[in-house]
């Protein structure tokens, strides 16, 4: 159901893998259908005030133009992004790099004389405000923390350059089209098939601010099939999505807009900035989740071996556990045996596990477990027979140790909660939430923008940091207000971290 009073941006994609690369960043997703059948999903972007609507349009500029106009008229967003993959046209623009289009060329317009083709191009500049937001937000490699796939061996480069767009899949460096692009559109560094249509529709909408962000999945050089077979498309889509999410996060609704946005128009985009409140936002209805004190303590199975847990441990990781309250019926053992493949599928769909990552699975009469392979288990999902759901993944780190970033932490918690809520399990009435860091000895409170660091300060503490639950939350509240729940859990974890203890 569309929420007309929320500040909104729209992200358009052409391919399913591009759509999924954006979708995994959003929480509390709801589907809506236009009267003509066009469908979108809309969700919250953790740590921001934005509602983000996503749509999969299919390939081609004709589709993109028609559906951009329709979605803009329907949703009236403050800004529109087209996000996906593209072919690279220049040396120095490598697979996995991100191109933010400063200009879109529609390269197919022209006149064919008996001896030559005379180009008559159309071109549309990117929104100045969105381009400036991208230059600011993507200036350092910090944006790569949003990549929800296997991290590349090198940080992807970001190029702010023109893109060529037409209804041709270019897979040759020696074709007439390649020569035309080189001769007439020499500053274009990438080629794709939708942005000209979308940019034209945005231009006709007068005040709609639009920006294209693409990840390079091939070099348009005859080796597209080889690059695609190597997994370049999902990786490029993940990089483009991460860059777009970073830019959206850097935007804020215009302060000139009313606090109650009229249904006929969305909030304007204001100046890009870094929130001074750590990215925290109130819930949609202005109230926080309703925590209920528990008379009796619940037992949390933490992941540390030797401390009543079946899980392993290695590098400093954030762990979250949802324990059913009250403890009720147990999961059947035969069901646990089936859960391994489902945990892998859900984790990969969410970007928690990458498609190329080797995984270890285990199941017995007490739990089902999936972790990254190699004996380290630094990232994992587990379901216990008691109904407890658990997820853990490494904190950001460099050679000096792990970083607890007060701005990034609520976003990481929100992503883990969203993953746990998607697991194919019946929901209990309520849950108690345990959160911790294990091991915590080489963890320091810092900002990811400082990575890699030359100095760091570590508090004097033992190697376990655990916030034991003494309150419960209904699953309805958790689903509806997961962003606020994440902010509260982050605040509790940071408070505990800032008060080192010598015993646990």
């Amino acid at each position: 159901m569309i929420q007309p009073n929320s500040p909104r941006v729209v992200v358009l994609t052409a391919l399913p893998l591009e759509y999924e690369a954006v979708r995994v960043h959003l929480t509390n997703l709801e589907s809506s259908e236009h009267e003509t059948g066009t469908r979108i999903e809309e969700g919250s972007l953790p740590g921001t005030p934005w509602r983000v609507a996503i749509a999969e349009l299919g390939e081609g500029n004709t589709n993109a133009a028609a559906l951009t106009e329709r979605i803009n008229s329907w949703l009236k967003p403050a800004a529109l992004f087209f996000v996906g993959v593209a072919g690279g046209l220049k040396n120095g623009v490598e697979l996995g790099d991100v191109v933010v289009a400063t200009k879109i060329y529609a390269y197919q317009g022209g006149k064919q004389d008996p001896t030559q083709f005379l180009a008559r191009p159309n071109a549309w500049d990117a929104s100045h405000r969105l381009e400036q937001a991208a230059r600011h937000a993507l200036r350092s490699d910090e944006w790569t923390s949003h990549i929800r796939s296997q991290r590349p061996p090198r940080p992807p480069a970001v190029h702010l350059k023109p893109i060529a767009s037409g209804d041709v899949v270019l897979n040759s460096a020696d074709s007439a089209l390649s020569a035309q692009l080189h001769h007439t559109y020499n500053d274009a560094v990438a080629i794709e098939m939708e942005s000209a249509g979308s940019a034209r529709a945005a231009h006709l909408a007068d005040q709609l601010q639009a920006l294209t962000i693409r990840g390079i999945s091939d070099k348009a050089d005859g080796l597209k099939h080889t690059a695609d077979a190597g997994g370049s498309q999902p990786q490029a889509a993940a990089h483009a999505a991460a860059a777009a999410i970073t830019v959206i996060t850097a935007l804020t609704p215009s302060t000139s807009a009313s606090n109650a946005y009229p249904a006929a128009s969305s909030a304007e985009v204001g100046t890009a900035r870094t929130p001074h409140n750590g990215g925290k936002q109130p819930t949609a209805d202005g109230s926080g989740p309703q925590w209920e004190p528990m008379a009796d303590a619940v037992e949390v199975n933490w992941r540390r071996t030797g401390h009543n847990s079946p899980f392993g441990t290695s590098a400093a990781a954030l762990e979250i556990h949802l324990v059913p309250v009250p403890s009720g019926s147990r999961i059947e053992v035969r069901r646990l045996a089936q859960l391994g493949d489902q945990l892998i599928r859900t984790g990969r769909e969410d970007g928690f596990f990458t498609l190329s990552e080797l995984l270890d699975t285990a199941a017995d009469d007490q739990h089902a477990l999936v972790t990254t392979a190699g004996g380290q288990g630094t990232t994992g999902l587990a379901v216990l027979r008691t109904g407890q759901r658990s997820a853990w993944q490494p904190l950001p780190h460099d050679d000096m140790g792990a970083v607890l970033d007060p701005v990034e932490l609520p976003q990481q918690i929100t992503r883990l909660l969203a993953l746990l809520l998607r697991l194919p399990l019946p929901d209990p009435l309520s849950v108690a939430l345990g959160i911790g860091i294990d091991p915590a000895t080489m963890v320091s409170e810092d900002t990811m923008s400082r990575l890699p660091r030359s100095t760091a300060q570590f508090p004097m503490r033992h190697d376990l940091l655990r916030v034991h639950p003494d309150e419960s939350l209904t699953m309805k509240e958790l689903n509806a207000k997961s962003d606020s729940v994440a902010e509260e859990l982050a605040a509790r974890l940071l408070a505990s971290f800032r008060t080192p203890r010598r015993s646990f």
Side-chain angles (χ1 to χ4, degrees):
M1 176 180 176
I2 297 299
Q3 298 183 15
N5 295 330
S6 297
R8 175 181 295 110
V9 297
V10 165
V11 177
L12 303 179
T13 65
L15 305 176
L17 61 89
E18 297 168 342
Y19 182 91
E20 290 300 324
V22 178
R23 188 179 189 274
V24 297
H25 291 273
L26 307 179
T27 62
N28 305 324
L29 285 157
E30 297 179 344
S31 298
S32 295
E33 182 178 357
H34 188 265
E35 60 184 9
T36 61
T38 301
R39 290 179 177 268
I40 61 105
E41 282 188 288
E42 186 173 60
S44 302
L45 180 57
T48 79
W50 293 108
R51 297 284 292 172
V52 178
I54 52 175
E56 180 189 327
L57 309 185
E59 298 177 28
N61 281 302
T62 302
N63 258 359
L67 294 178
T68 296
E69 193 281 331
R70 177 176 299 164
I71 290 172
N72 177 54
S73 298
W74 177 24
L75 302 182
K76 295 180 170 55
L80 181 139
F81 293 79
F82 211 111
V83 176
V85 300
L89 295 175
K90 297 287 188 181
N91 293 330
V93 179
E94 305 298 335
L95 297 184
D97 283 0
V98 169
V99 179
V100 178
T102 56
K103 182 183 295 183
I104 301 295
Y105 290 122
Y107 64 78
Q108 288 180 292
K111 177 183 178 181
Q112 182 66 62
D113 275 352
T115 59
Q116 61 181 328
F117 178 81
L118 302 174
R120 294 179 177 178
N122 279 320
W124 299 273
D125 289 330
S127 155
H128 173 69
R129 190 181 300 276
L130 297 185
E131 180 189 328
Q132 285 292 299
R135 290 182 184 276
H136 173 78
L138 305 177
R139 192 177 305 278
S140 73
D141 292 337
E142 186 177 351
W143 71 271
T144 61
S145 66
H146 290 290
I147 295 175
R148 303 292 292 278
S149 65
Q150 184 176 14
R151 292 295 178 86
R154 65 169 182 85
V158 177
H159 309 270
L160 284 104
K161 295 288 185 179
I163 283 179
S165 181
D167 290 316
V168 177
V169 177
L170 178 62
N171 189 29
S172 171
D174 302 318
S175 64
L177 176 55
S178 291
Q180 176 197 352
L181 293 172
H182 178 73
H183 180 267
T184 310
Y185 309 94
N186 188 255
D187 56 345
V189 301
I191 183 170
E192 40 93 317
M193 299 176 61
E194 292 83 29
S195 289
S198 182
R200 174 66 172 169
H203 169 74
L204 293 176
D206 194 15
Q207 298 300 315
L208 178 58
Q209 300 183 58
L211 188 69
T212 288
I213 299 179
R214 296 280 182 166
I216 300 299
S217 60
D218 64 81
K219 300 297 290 290
D221 58 359
L223 300 176
K224 175 176 170 56
H225 178 73
T226 302
D228 290 353
S232 63
Q233 278 200 333
Q235 194 71 33
H239 294 181
I245 291 299
T246 302
V247 176
I248 296 170
T249 300
L251 300 174
T252 183
S254 173
T255 55
S256 64
S258 168
N259 288 331
Y261 301 104
S265 64
S266 184
E268 297 176 355
V269 174
T271 305
R273 64 178 177 88
T274 301
H276 295 293
N277 63 349
K280 297 182 180 180
Q281 300 295 334
T283 56
D285 61 3
S287 63
Q290 301 300 307
W291 299 89
E292 294 291 337
M294 295 187 298
D296 300 316
V298 298
E299 180 181 20
V300 179
N301 278 277
W302 302 90
R303 74 184 187 113
R304 171 68 70 95
T305 301
H307 289 68
N308 78 323
S309 171
F311 317 135
T313 186
S314 53
L318 176 69
E319 57 182 291
I320 296 180
H321 309 276
L322 274 57
V323 183
V325 176
S327 57
S329 60
R330 291 174 172 264
I331 297 175
E332 292 184 329
V333 173
R334 60 179 179 176
R335 176 70 178 124
L336 288 175
Q338 301 167 353
L339 274 174
D341 289 342
Q342 294 175 326
L343 294 179
I344 292 174
R345 183 165 57 252
T346 303
R348 282 181 168 160
E349 288 174 352
D350 192 73
F352 186 70
F353 300 125
T354 68
L355 293 175
S356 60
E357 208 164 28
L358 295 177
L359 302 175
D360 289 331
T361 61
D364 57 24
D365 61 348
Q366 295 301 319
H367 75 282
L369 173 68
V370 177
T371 64
T372 49
Q376 297 299 309
T378 53
T379 302
L381 276 174
V383 174
L384 275 62
R385 195 177 177 206
T386 60
Q388 176 179 316
R389 315 175 191 195
S390 302
W392 58 93
Q393 68 179 172
L395 290 169
H397 62 277
D398 57 15
D399 291 341
M400 301 199 71
V403 167
L404 197 59
D405 186 331
V407 174
E408 169 64 20
L409 182 59
Q411 300 179 37
Q412 186 176 8
I413 294 172
T414 297
R415 293 192 292 266
L416 292 178
L417 288 175
L419 173 61
L420 291 174
L421 291 173
R422 288 187 60 202
L423 296 183
L425 297 168
D427 284 343
L429 178 62
S430 299
V431 289
L433 293 92
I435 186 168
I437 297 172
D438 182 12
T441 48
M442 296 300 292
V443 178
S444 60
E445 184 176 343
D446 214 326
T447 61
M448 291 175 56
S449 61
R450 292 190 62 233
L451 297 180
R453 300 165 295 176
S454 58
T455 61
Q457 294 183 342
F458 300 96
M460 295 293 294
R461 65 174 315 113
H462 285 194
D463 65 343
L464 291 177
L465 176 61
R466 293 172 176 173
V467 179
H468 295 268
D470 57 6
E471 295 174 301
S472 66
L473 197 64
T474 66
M475 287 295 283
K476 181 179 179 180
E477 284 279 291
L478 179 55
N479 275 286
K481 300 177 179 178
S482 59
D483 291 351
S484 290
V485 173
E487 290 166 4
E488 175 61 18
L489 292 177
R492 296 180 185 186
L493 188 65
L494 285 165
S496 182
F497 181 81
R498 291 163 180 164
T499 310
R501 297 173 174 86
R502 296 188 176 273
S503 62
F504 293 84

